[in-house]
Amino acid sequence: MIKIVPLSEDDILFDAEAAGEALDKAARRLRPVRFSGLCPIGRQVLFVFNECDADEDDSDAKFVFSRLPSCDINEVSAAFLSRFTGGFDTLGTFFIGDDLWGLFKRLPRNA
């Protein structure tokens, strides 16, 4: 089974927290799923969840969108390191306009 969650750029810009909660909800299914990738298309971003073993699922994950400070490689690397130190995994990046955004997840075992 595969679950694809489309979110518009406007939804992410208007309320990034609610957009993250939409991904939280998608990960809480009867069948265990884990995040496997994202694909920006036009003004939409598709977020893909694949079925997995129960011990690998993202049902307890907290997904967070964050605008990154710039497109400078050193600043982006520092932002990733900061998120990792805070217990978050970096899942991917995408542009909204000229701004680079990141998707991160935190699992209870990373807390």
Side-chain angles (χ1 to χ4, degrees):
M1 180 195 82
I2 186 171
K3 173 71 177 168
I4 299 172
V5 179
L7 293 175
S8 74
E9 291 178 352
D10 291 337
D11 289 339
I12 297 167
L13 286 172
F14 179 71
D15 192 345
E17 185 175 345
E21 289 170 359
L23 297 184
D24 294 347
K25 183 178 177 184
R28 293 184 191 100
R29 297 282 179 210
L30 294 177
R31 294 182 179 159
V33 295
R34 74 172 183 283
F35 178 83
S36 64
L38 60 86
C39 178
I41 299 176
R43 296 193 40 86
Q44 300 274 325
V45 183
L46 303 178
F47 299 91
V48 182
F49 293 82
N50 291 341
E51 191 169 354
C52 65
D53 293 332
D55 61 341
E56 300 175 347
D57 75 349
D58 283 334
S59 62
D60 291 333
K62 170 74 174 159
F63 292 91
V64 175
F65 290 97
S66 179
R67 186 182 321 224
L68 296 171
S70 74
C71 292
D72 177 80
I73 195 166
N74 294 318
E75 289 184 26
V76 171
S77 296
F80 289 167
L81 179 58
S82 175
R83 288 287 181 164
F84 178 78
T85 301
F88 287 86
D89 291 338
T90 301
L91 301 177
T93 62
F94 55 93
F95 281 94
I96 297 180
D98 292 333
D99 294 325
L100 183 62
W101 283 74
L103 175 62
F104 304 89
K105 80 173 174 183
R106 183 176 193 162
L107 295 171
R109 66 178 175 266
N110 290 347

